[in-house]
Amino acid sequence: MGYDERFGLRATVGEDDSLHDECGVFGVWAPGRDVARITYFGLHALQHRGQESAGIAVGNGKSVLVRKDRGLVSQVFTDADLSALSGKAAIGHVRYGTAGGGGFDAAQPHFSLIDDVTIALAHNGTLVNTSGVRRELVQMGVPFRSETDSEVACELIGYFTKKSGHLRVGIRHAMQMIEGGYAMVLLRENALYAFRDPNGIRPLVIGALGTEGWVVASETCALDIVGATFVRDVRPGEIVRISDGGILSEQGIEPRPEAQCIFEDVYFSRPDTVVRGRSVYSMRYEMGRQLAREAPVDADLVIGVPDSGMPPAEGFASQSGIPFGEGLIKNRYVARTFIQPTQEMREMGVRMKLNALSDNVAGRRVVMVDDSIVRGTTSKQIVRMLKEAGATEVHVRINCPEVVWPCFYGIDTDVQRQLISANKGVDEVRDYIGADSLAFLSLEGLRRCVPECGYCDACYTGRYPVRIPEAFSAGKFLDGFAPTFPYDDGGEASVPPVADVRMDAPRD
Ligand code: SF4
């Protein structure tokens, strides 16, 4: 239930039954081109990663201009806005926020003044250790406009840049202090920077705009829309700097064991995005095939829950020999709704976006393939909808394992009690959602369907690649659940006070 924002009631309801990524980022360096419009189109391609707010900043050689607001990309920018944002480079952001609330001030890019230089920062991910850093910066007189971790990163970079006189040194020192999952793009008047957490949890890719410039984006689908060709990923811990002098790379922080978010492949990324040479579509198709091998069922029709359940449903059908068909029709024109969180309104929210196709499902035993079950409330409603439309049996198949553990690296499920599979076994979940049978893809099966690399799979296993400070995770795990941190020595990461950090010799 990822990129389609079907159940996008969360902003005011707080009970939305789907996982949400916390953002998408885009950046372009292309002097002589309309960088604001290129960014606008890039953000359109990333709209599935966040629908609460959108923003663009441009650097015109003298200063940085920012336009941002709540709403979809198409709602935030008018033609006149884009025309007013001329420059040689730009960054953009779409936000689905959890930490730090919503509203204009949480919209990105954030900007910070470093003496007479303005920087703008756009961030995808979550930082787990910024509360202490924020307190210190506030004590030092740094003003904050929001409660977001992204603004802390922006101000921290500004602080170290002031202290060292060099922006890359500022970024490097900030990277050495912040922990979590992050992919960031940063703009000053004459340069674009892109950098990524040392485990590579959140995605970030580089593309070439012919010989005219460079693009960085959360996913390759945003390169395609602006006519850029994929060059490579931004490496874990790397800082990329693009300016009139060309493209430069340096290792901002030593890479740690790779831990790319596996949920990007299962559900967040767009199917036409390519990861390590493979389309997300093809991976999801394989997940469906593997699911049919692991959890076969006697049925008449395989349907997918639009949009992200469709490729695995096709794969399930091809492997099982059961015909694939449409069973749920999605209304693609439903905007975000800001309605009261009553049960009636929640149910209406699902029905506004999905309806069962009784012509296809009536009198049939249906396999319904979906990408995840979070709270279970939406699955329950869809199963009921299919039965009311005449399906004689509904067998639910999920193309990933049970989501049992909270995520602290950029997804909005950071409280374990929200997760139905943390509280109930498979049979209990099946009973709750009213399905005739329920099965999840195994972790081993999932790993067979995605490229070979290091993955974070903490939401299935509780093995977290980055230690979660107790102050951040307090109250977020259920009793009896003990997360593990396979890559560290068991101690809390010690971060020196901001004011005590010694500046090394500037390298730029
Ligand atoms: S915990 Fe899950 S959703 Fe979060 S980064 Fe890891 S794999 Fe992705």
Side-chain angles (χ1 to χ4, degrees):
M1 295 174 280
Y3 60 88
D4 54 15
E5 66 163 314
R6 280 176 315 184
F7 310 119
L9 301 172
R10 186 202 146 272
T12 52
V13 171
E15 284 286 340
D16 182 13
D17 183 26
S18 55
L19 298 172
H20 291 271
D21 215 319
E22 283 187 23
C23 305
V25 297
F26 186 89
V28 55
W29 172 270
R33 297 280 305 270
D34 187 344
V35 291
R37 278 189 177 74
I38 291 173
T39 305
Y40 176 81
F41 288 120
L43 292 183
H44 260 292
L46 298 173
Q47 186 77 81
H48 58 286
R49 299 184 73 87
Q51 301 91 38
E52 279 188 15
S53 65
I56 294 176
V58 295
N60 59 15
K62 294 196 177 105
S63 61
V64 171
L65 307 171
V66 181
R67 158 95 186 128
K68 59 180 181 174
D69 209 340
R70 291 188 64 163
L72 300 172
V73 176
S74 58
Q75 295 167 328
V76 170
F77 298 99
T78 64
D79 201 47
D81 292 331
L82 296 173
S83 298
L85 292 170
S86 70
K88 52 165 70 172
I91 61 171
H93 189 266
V94 286
R95 179 167 198 266
Y96 183 93
T98 53
F104 174 84
D105 288 331
Q108 298 189 33
H110 288 297
F111 44 94
S112 173
L113 206 57
I114 307 171
D115 296 330
D116 53 355
V117 172
T118 304
I119 60 167
L121 178 91
H123 168 211
N124 169 215
T126 297
L127 307 178
V128 299
N129 67 336
T130 49
S131 57
V133 172
R134 186 180 195 281
R135 251 191 326 272
E136 285 180 65
L137 290 171
V138 168
Q139 279 162 10
M140 291 170 186
V142 175
F144 281 85
R145 296 178 192 87
S146 73
E147 296 292 321
T148 65
D149 54 351
S150 314
E151 194 183 3
V152 175
C154 188
E155 295 298 347
L156 194 60
I157 291 167
Y159 173 83
F160 287 133
T161 300
K162 263 187 202 169
K163 209 165 161 184
S164 67
H166 294 266
L167 184 48
R168 261 195 297 161
V169 178
I171 294 172
R172 202 162 60 232
H173 277 84
M175 287 174 81
Q176 283 158 12
M177 295 194 78
I178 58 179
E179 295 276 345
Y182 58 89
M184 299 193 189
V185 290
L186 183 150
L187 188 72
R188 62 175 295 177
E189 79 287 358
N190 61 3
L192 168 68
Y193 299 78
F195 44 101
R196 195 172 172 211
D197 67 75
N199 297 94
I201 295 173
R202 300 261 68 91
L204 194 60
V205 297
I206 308 173
L209 263 180
T211 56
E212 296 175 313
W214 300 95
V215 173
V216 286
S218 296
E219 293 182 40
T220 65
C221 64
L223 306 184
D224 298 338
I225 197 171
V226 301
T229 50
F230 172 76
V231 176
R232 67 171 174 85
D233 289 347
V234 175
R235 298 185 191 103
E238 181 185 15
I239 303 171
V240 173
R241 177 179 191 266
I242 308 169
S243 68
D244 282 332
I247 184 163
L248 289 173
S249 159
E250 77 168 87
Q251 198 64 38
I253 182 169
E254 280 304 301
R256 297 186 197 145
E258 188 181 39
Q260 189 176 294
C261 170
I262 203 165
F263 234 110
E264 290 279 348
D265 299 345
V266 169
Y267 144 106
F268 294 123
S269 294
R270 246 173 57 162
D272 51 337
T273 279
V274 174
V275 180
R276 293 174 192 253
R278 286 188 56 192
S279 74
V280 168
Y281 174 88
S282 73
M283 294 181 221
R284 290 182 188 160
Y285 186 90
E286 277 309 313
M287 291 169 206
R289 284 169 54 92
Q290 180 66 23
L291 192 51
R293 284 183 210 109
E294 292 185 11
V297 58
D298 201 12
D300 306 310
L301 179 73
V302 179
I303 67 169
V305 178
D307 287 313
S308 41
M310 300 307 265
E314 289 176 47
F316 193 102
S318 116
Q319 179 66 32
S320 64
I322 302 169
F324 170 77
E326 298 238 12
L328 293 162
I329 302 301
K330 179 183 169 188
N331 180 348
R332 295 182 184 281
Y333 303 100
V334 178
R336 287 190 72 80
T337 49
F338 293 89
I339 52 179
Q340 291 306 305
T342 64
Q343 186 60 27
E344 185 189 1
M345 296 308 269
R346 273 198 290 276
E347 291 190 15
M348 197 181 297
V350 174
R351 284 182 183 277
M352 273 163 57
K353 291 165 188 172
L354 283 177
N355 199 10
L357 188 60
S358 58
D359 277 1
N360 276 2
V361 302
R364 291 195 160 137
R365 297 167 300 166
V366 172
V367 181
M368 177 189 119
V369 182
D370 202 358
D371 51 52
S372 55
I373 294 181
V374 183
R375 289 185 175 85
T377 51
T378 300
S379 304
K380 184 185 176 87
Q381 288 171 58
I382 299 174
V383 169
R384 194 168 69 212
M385 204 186 278
L386 290 167
K387 291 205 167 174
E388 284 171 1
T392 54
E393 295 173 14
V394 178
H395 301 274
V396 176
R397 294 293 179 270
I398 303 296
N399 59 289
C400 71
E402 297 158 87
V403 177
V404 175
W405 297 84
C407 173
F408 299 97
Y409 310 135
I411 308 304
D412 69 347
T413 54
D414 68 350
V415 179
Q416 195 172 23
R417 74 184 123 73
Q418 300 170 324
L419 307 171
I420 190 169
S421 291
N423 297 291
K424 296 181 192 293
V426 175
D427 290 346
E428 291 173 297
V429 176
R430 180 203 62 212
D431 290 347
Y432 176 78
I433 66 175
D436 293 276
S437 73
L438 168 67
F440 295 82
L441 184 60
S442 68
L443 185 60
E444 301 69 36
L446 173 59
R447 292 298 291 258
R448 274 203 277 276
C449 304
V450 295
E452 268 189 39
C453 66
Y455 277 104
C456 172
D457 53 21
C459 47
Y460 309 130
T461 62
R463 291 194 301 259
Y464 290 86
V466 178
R467 178 163 283 277
I468 317 297
E470 275 184 35
F472 192 77
S473 64
K476 293 181 175 173
F477 290 105
L478 289 169
D479 288 347
F481 286 83
T484 56
F485 304 99
Y487 302 139
D488 72 11
D489 57 8
E492 291 263 329
S494 67
V495 177
V498 175
D500 291 355
V501 174
R502 208 167 49 80
M503 295 289 101
D504 51 15
R507 284 194 239 157
D508 53 350

